[in-house]
Amino acid sequence: MSNAALNRIYTLLSGLVLAFIVLPLGIIVWASFFANKILTFPPTGYTFDWYIRAWSMDVFREGFLVSIQTAVIATCISLLLGVPASLALVRYRFPGRDAIQSLLLSPMIVPGIVGGAALYIAFIELEILFDVQVAGTLGGLLTAHALIAFPWTVRLVTASLTGTNRTIEEAAASLGAAPFTVFRRITLPAIRSGLIAAALFSFVISFIDLEKSLFLVGPGRTTLQIALVNYMEWNLDSTVAAVASVQILIICVLLVISDRYAKLSRVF
């Protein structure tokens, strides 16, 4: 088979995979404009009313703000802890290094519902031992979200550090630069793409999380994903599609802006 035929087959398969990924998102965005009172196909017309309705509902508006705040704080925590952990894993050799790295990345492969249940049980045990409420508090929710964001920071920053040229850092140190100065002036700019990618993925993973929030959210505090699930239990209109479309738009904008300034493709 010629190279031209192989290229055509590869292009076709790539297009099919891309369509398989993008088509459901496109359908959700399309459905968000349906004028039907009940979500049905084909639509009788198109309207923006579902977006207005979604924002006018307190449960969605407050859930959106809670999810944004939680994701931002969880991202900051994951960066503060993940960057030093990545530096230790890449720059130093010590017994159990590979095991520790696997342990730090393990939340990425644990099913969300299993992780949420495990954290809930662990928090209950802590409450019994120390007589301090953890489950259902803001601190418990932030801890859970930071935990699911942390592995992405470690993975992406570690990959970025592995690809950097250490001779520049060594040259700066040999010229008298203090370790913190080397880190601030040399290392951080060199891994900027990895840091931005880690922050982006940490934010997205926290923002869209449902399983851990279901177990750990407290009274009077509802994330956007929980609000969506609760609404879908009793309603079948395009409000959910409108909310989902806004989430898709936010994530796409973040990806485009981040790639524009950090070239995320270099990290992967």
Side-chain angles (χ1 to χ4, degrees):
M1 186 177 293
S2 64
N3 290 334
L6 288 174
N7 288 335
R8 284 194 293 270
I9 294 174
Y10 177 77
T11 302
L12 176 62
L13 292 176
S14 300
L16 291 174
V17 171
L18 183 62
F20 179 77
I21 296 173
V22 174
L23 186 60
L25 301 180
I27 292 175
I28 290 174
V29 175
W30 181 31
S32 69
F33 296 104
F34 286 8
N36 308 46
K37 296 300 182 182
I38 297 178
L39 188 57
T40 55
F41 182 85
T44 58
Y46 296 95
T47 180
F48 285 96
D49 290 347
W50 300 115
Y51 289 88
I52 300 173
R53 171 181 167 80
W55 184 252
S56 66
M57 297 178 65
D58 292 340
V59 64
F60 286 139
R61 187 171 62 252
E62 295 172 2
F64 176 79
L65 295 176
V66 169
S67 292
I68 289 289
Q69 294 167 359
T70 302
V72 169
I73 296 174
T75 299
C76 293
I77 295 173
S78 71
L79 289 174
L80 289 174
L81 299 178
V83 173
S86 299
L87 283 169
L89 291 172
V90 174
R91 295 289 192 252
Y92 303 99
R93 296 292 180 267
F94 49 87
R97 172 179 169 274
D98 293 338
I100 292 175
Q101 184 173 14
S102 299
L103 179 63
L104 294 179
L105 298 178
S106 61
M108 296 177 67
I109 60 176
V110 175
I113 193 70
V114 175
L119 277 175
Y120 179 74
I121 295 172
F123 287 169
I124 294 299
E125 293 294 332
L126 289 175
E127 291 180 5
I128 295 173
L129 287 174
F130 299 103
D131 195 24
V132 177
Q133 184 178 359
V134 182
T137 64
L138 178 60
L141 182 65
L142 292 176
T143 299
H145 279 249
L147 182 63
I148 61 176
F150 180 75
W152 288 94
T153 298
V154 173
R155 179 68 185 88
L156 294 170
V157 175
T158 297
S160 188
L161 282 169
T162 302
T164 58
N165 187 355
R166 288 205 63 187
T167 57
I168 302 177
E169 298 177 5
E170 294 170 354
S174 67
L175 292 173
F180 181 74
T181 302
V182 173
F183 174 74
R184 181 173 59 88
R185 300 292 296 272
I186 305 297
T187 307
L188 281 182
I191 63 172
R192 184 183 64 174
S193 297
L195 289 174
I196 294 177
L200 174 63
F201 278 83
S202 296
F203 177 88
V204 171
I205 291 299
S206 173
F207 183 73
I208 66 175
D209 176 76
L210 171 64
E211 296 88 350
K212 292 179 177 60
S213 299
L214 276 173
F215 281 99
L216 301 173
V217 74
R221 185 180 296 108
T222 301
T223 65
L224 183 58
Q225 313 310 322
I226 296 177
L228 286 172
V229 171
N230 292 337
Y231 184 84
M232 290 173 62
E233 186 177 1
W234 304 106
N235 301 273
L236 189 61
D237 54 39
S238 293
T239 304
V240 171
V243 176
S245 297
V246 172
Q247 294 185 75
I248 293 171
L249 177 62
I250 291 173
I251 294 172
C252 288
V253 170
L254 289 175
L255 284 171
V256 171
I257 294 175
S258 301
D259 189 62
R260 169 66 176 81
Y261 293 101
K263 299 300 179 185
L264 300 182
S265 56
R266 298 175 182 173
V267 183
F268 301 98

